[in-house]
Amino acid sequence: MLPQVRLTLFPKTMSDNPQEQPRALNGRAPDVFTHDGWVPMRDYGEDAVDFVIVGTGAGGGTLACKLAEAGFSVIAMDAGAYWRPLEDFASDEQEQTKLYWTDDRIVDGDNPIHLGANNSGKAVGGSTVHYMMVSLRFRPEWFKSRTKLGYGADWPLEWREMWRYYREAEEALCISGPVRYPWGPHRPRYPYRAHPLNAPARYLARGAEKLGIAWSETPIATLSAPRGKAHPCVYRGFCASGCTTNAKQSVLNTWLPRALAAGAEIRDLAMAGRVETKNGRATGVHYFRNGQWCFQCARNVVVAGYTIETPRLLLNSSSSEFPDGLANSSGMVGKNLMVHLNQSVFGYSGDEIRSYKAPPSLALTEHWNYEDRGKDYHGGWCYMAPGPLPADWARTVSAKGKWGAGLLEEMSRYNHAVGLKMVGEVLPYERNRVSLSEQTDRYGLPIARVTFGFGDNERAMRTHALDFMDRALEAVGVTERWRNEEETAHLMGTARMGEDPATSVVNADCRSWDIPNLWVCDGSVFPTSGGVNPSLTIQALACRTGDRIAELAARGEL
């Protein structure tokens, strides 16, 4: 049962603060391309719809677009605010923490993970509003890593099919990338030209060449040329804190405007608390909005709250019919939580670097994603050229024990700092999980407990990666090098897809094995994490899921 609470979170009078008062109301939604602008929006009221989607990030927002364009009635709800980037975002790191999910969560385990800017977003558009825009495809063998590479778990999908959906996502985001990408099967040219390299990217390129490995401009979701009302990137460097110009191609300004135009309704500041079920089927979602609990009826429910909130909602929706939570006959809901290794090596150059200029990660190498020789561990990793902003850099160097005068001295050399940062595959372990704690949040809902610890495989990968990145920087004359060994990024797993209902939560179509009209569409369905940023794969999966739902509906199989 939901707690019987009524909160006065939102005043009855209109507020200018989108974190206090919903904006998407009364048949209109914010126009993300103008100041104070609005676009028309379908208002379904309390009528039952074909699909209610919880979450509007890379999975839910993309799927909302696909389903609405296929002719389904869709309501997509999000716990976060509906921002207009042109007027709501500031060139201020502290101000932009409003984009992160910082609600209370309990973290424990052998290696408790940090949650927030590096892996959790709370906004319409989800984490894509502040993501780094790196848009990479999985290595084909990763979709069958157990069969072909001897570790992890096989995905119930074939890489050739995913290649088509990767292309759909890349075109929707107008990815800016190189003419030829040096790893993996051939792919068409990216929609937009690659961005020119900034100083950190040039250091990465030179270091890779010194060590005899390939490098490339990074395919990223920020415009290198105009697109409609969106301007090209002006290289201000605040990508991870929200883009004020709409050059960043996020779900907020790509998939969701299309969804609205196709008849979807978006409900911001709508915190889902429970999925209701009856006679083995989902009937709708209880959610908190405008100071009260509401219920939205739906013929299908999609949970797309990402890797922590998705299992939290499924587990909190237990009932006499599903005492262990929804979609959990396998006992896999919440288990196999994965992150990415995100360790880095930094040092100083005699050159002026100014790493904040331009988007971060403008160059990368995937050499160790595609080369398996010389490893004493499973899995892959890539590395990129990061561009930390000043406050972020202060936090980074303070990890060296710098404080007071020592920290000021370190910050005085900020413009000469240069580094390399990895994105490394973490294996799925059932012991790493999301569960419900006994503590509750302001809505009266159980807080998520996030338990995590590395294995020997991750420790071996981390050692190899740090040693290699250190050599790459040394090769180009970077001195006073030091290692940041604690960082992680991204979240995956906890509702894995598979071919066996006994060991997975959903099938290849992201459809629950247990409840036929309950779907999960976000990074939680990943059986393995791969050695690349997950956002493009999540969007490609959502594109495929939308097409599969339309096909199933046409055959009367929903």
Side-chain angles (χ1 to χ4, degrees), residues 370-511:
Y370 286 84
E371 177 57 77
D372 295 322
R373 295 171 298 181
K375 296 177 178 176
D376 60 352
Y377 55 86
H378 292 300
W381 56 278
C382 62
Y383 68 82
M384 307 170 204
L389 294 172
D392 183 33
W393 180 245
R395 286 188 291 269
T396 300
V397 296
S398 67
K400 297 168 61 178
K402 299 289 184 179
W403 195 250
L407 180 58
L408 289 174
E409 169 63 23
E410 199 85 27
M411 290 301 296
S412 72
R413 300 194 290 167
Y414 168 60
N415 286 334
H416 290 267
V418 61
L420 301 171
K421 176 169 282 198
M422 71 180 296
V423 173
E425 186 168 5
V426 168
L427 300 186
Y429 305 107
E430 286 191 23
R431 67 176 183 270
N432 291 335
R433 64 194 182 275
V434 175
S435 56
L436 299 181
S437 75
E438 295 181 356
Q439 298 182 38
T440 57
D441 64 9
R442 58 177 175 159
Y443 303 102
L445 303 173
I447 290 172
R449 179 184 297 275
V450 182
T451 303
F452 186 81
F454 293 121
D456 291 340
N457 195 78
E458 289 73 40
R459 285 185 279 271
M461 177 186 288
R462 179 176 60 191
T463 298
H464 177 217
L466 289 170
D467 287 347
F468 193 88
M469 291 188 294
D470 185 80
R471 287 172 52 203
L473 290 178
E474 181 182 31
V476 291
V478 176
T479 60
E480 300 179 66
R481 299 180 306 280
W482 58 280
R483 302 177 178 195
N484 186 338
E485 301 190 9
E486 301 303 322
E487 291 189 30
T488 64
H490 313 132
L491 297 164
M492 297 141 289
T494 69
R496 62 160 50 173
M497 60 165 52
E499 295 181 342
D500 184 354
T503 58
S504 57
V505 177
V506 298
N507 65 13
D509 299 333
C510 294
R511 190 178 200 174

Side-chain angles (χ1 to χ4, degrees), residues 137-143 149 163 369-372 375:
R137 301 183 182 194
F138 261 40
R139 173 182 169 180
E141 291 87 347
W142 288 342
F143 289 105
L149 300 174
W163 235 240
N369 272 335
Y370 286 84
E371 177 57 77
D372 295 322
K375 296 177 178 176

Side-chain angles (χ1 to χ4, degrees), residues 322-338:
F322 299 103
D324 297 321
L326 304 187
N328 199 26
S329 63
S330 64
M332 289 292 108
V333 170
K335 295 181 179 179
N336 300 296
L337 169 68
M338 297 170 287

Side-chain angles (χ1 to χ4, degrees), residues 138-160:
F138 261 40
R139 173 182 169 180
E141 291 87 347
W142 288 342
F143 289 105
K144 302 295 178 185
S145 64
R146 170 56 60 184
T147 299
K148 294 183 177 295
L149 300 174
Y151 73 90
D154 288 348
W155 292 53
L157 300 168
E158 295 293 333
W159 74 266
R160 289 179 178 83

